[in-house]
Amino acid sequence: MKNTFRKMCCLLIFLFIAGCEVNDNGGNTLSTIDSKINFIVKESHDYYLSSSEPEIYLNLATEKIYGCCNFPIIADCNIKGNIITVNLSGINKSGICLTALGPATANLKLGQIEGDYILIIRSSYFSDNYNLSVNSSNINVSGAETNNTKPAKRNYQRYPENSMVYYCGTLTENSYLCQDFIDTLKTVIDITEFTFPENGEIPYGPAGGGHYYDAEPRYFYYQNDADFFAIEDVLKKFKSDYFPDNNGTGLNFLNWKNEQVMSWTL
């Protein structure tokens, strides 16, 4: 009987510790991570609307979906030589809840890194290792998925310098405007069309949709910043001549520095 009682006490203590919450250094109440973590290493920018040269980021997201879409994963990152160590402290569920379904997430800046690294993702109860390779055009993650972590994408293309994507959406009968504008733009600035390799995620997003006709995104190199911003004047005149009231038409250029020229703002 005594042994049974001791075993029950030990089990209750274990369950209490496993489910308990801890405080981080900032006073936030943290819950134990209770889900596999999916991660992506990709090139991005500081903020959605910021303008800057892209840097390498590590995006983390739980497979588990919570009732609040804004729960953050509390994590820190340390780079020493060719070893990148990510320490997961827990999930902060103590803030204001945005009541929409979503995973807990974290976004960690790795900076302007390049070369071959060992990526270690660990918490108080696991430590998983992956190989990370970053060159001038590509980001690759290798290593076996575990019970705790998983590379959601293993291969990402990087933003080519002085590159931009062209999105065009129109009414069905006006789809010719997409090519007509490129033909017009080529008479003013020097642009060269290119395609990304097939073996990897493209850093630019897909076409936005919402038009009767949405062209496939097209990718171009331009010569310099002045040329990119010259697009605005060309587009402004083109819009005035062919779709002054928008009329279901949207032309948009987004470059590698997260700068945009959009017809609907002109």
Side-chain angles (χ1 to χ4, degrees):
M1 179 68 70
K2 289 183 179 179
N3 289 337
T4 302
F5 179 77
R6 290 194 188 100
K7 289 179 181 178
M8 290 182 63
C9 288
C10 290
L11 176 61
L12 289 173
I13 292 171
F14 171 79
L15 292 174
F16 174 78
I17 292 173
C20 73
E21 296 179 329
V22 297
N23 289 328
D24 70 1
N25 292 332
N28 295 317
T29 302
L30 302 183
S31 297
T32 302
I33 295 174
D34 55 353
S35 167
K36 178 180 283 191
I37 302 292
N38 295 328
F39 69 92
I40 295 173
V41 184
K42 61 184 290 188
E43 204 169 30
S44 187
H45 303 85
D46 270 339
Y47 301 101
Y48 177 68
L49 295 176
S50 70
S51 172
S52 62
E53 292 190 10
E55 297 183 84
I56 308 297
Y57 284 80
L58 172 64
N59 302 147
L60 306 166
T62 58
E63 283 192 353
K64 183 175 180 178
I65 301 300
Y66 298 93
C68 304
C69 66
N70 61 318
F71 285 159
I73 300 172
I74 305 302
D76 63 75
C77 179
N78 177 59
I79 302 176
K80 189 173 183 180
N82 71 329
I83 298 177
I84 301 172
T85 304
V86 177
N87 295 297
L88 308 178
S89 300
I91 299 173
N92 182 8
K93 300 180 181 179
S94 61
I96 296 173
C97 174
L98 299 183
T99 52
L101 300 177
T105 61
N107 191 33
L108 302 176
K109 182 191 291 190
L110 304 182
Q112 299 286 5
I113 63 171
E114 195 162 315
D116 295 325
Y117 297 87
I118 297 172
L119 173 62
I120 303 172
I121 303 177
R122 67 187 186 189
S123 73
S124 58
Y125 60 92
F126 71 82
S127 181
D128 295 341
N129 290 12
Y130 295 90
N131 296 314
L132 171 64
S133 178
V134 182
N135 60 41
S136 59
S137 60
N138 185 269
I139 301 167
N140 182 268
V141 174
S142 60
E145 172 187 350
T146 75
N147 292 330
N148 306 299
T149 60
K150 172 186 175 181
K153 302 288 183 182
R154 290 185 177 271
N155 199 308
Y156 250 96
Q157 303 296 328
R158 298 186 66 178
Y159 289 98
E161 187 174 347
N162 287 348
S163 69
M164 62 184 180
V165 60
Y166 170 50
Y167 302 109
C168 180
T170 69
L171 298 175
T172 305
E173 61 269 24
N174 293 336
S175 61
Y176 64 89
L177 291 175
C178 295
Q179 182 59 47
D180 280 4
F181 181 71
I182 291 298
D183 293 340
T184 300
L185 185 61
K186 286 181 176 179
T187 67
V188 180
I189 65 173
D190 184 13
I191 58 175
T192 303
E193 191 163 6
F194 73 95
T195 57
F196 282 95
E198 294 183 0
N199 61 330
E201 296 293 316
I202 294 173
Y204 292 108
H211 300 90
Y212 285 97
Y213 170 79
D214 280 296
E216 289 295 319
R218 296 173 64 180
Y219 310 100
F220 296 89
Y221 293 114
Y222 56 90
Q223 295 298 309
N224 50 54
D225 289 346
D227 278 354
F228 179 78
F229 290 111
I231 296 173
E232 182 171 326
D233 289 336
V234 182
L235 184 53
K236 186 182 295 185
K237 185 178 186 310
F238 188 84
K239 176 182 177 181
S240 176
D241 290 343
Y242 295 100
F243 56 103
D245 299 319
N246 289 319
N247 294 329
T249 297
L251 278 63
N252 177 22
F253 288 86
L254 173 67
N255 74 2
W256 69 299
K257 293 181 180 179
N258 207 33
E259 298 163 329
Q260 295 194 69
V261 177
M262 301 174 288
S263 63
W264 55 89
T265 66
L266 302 178

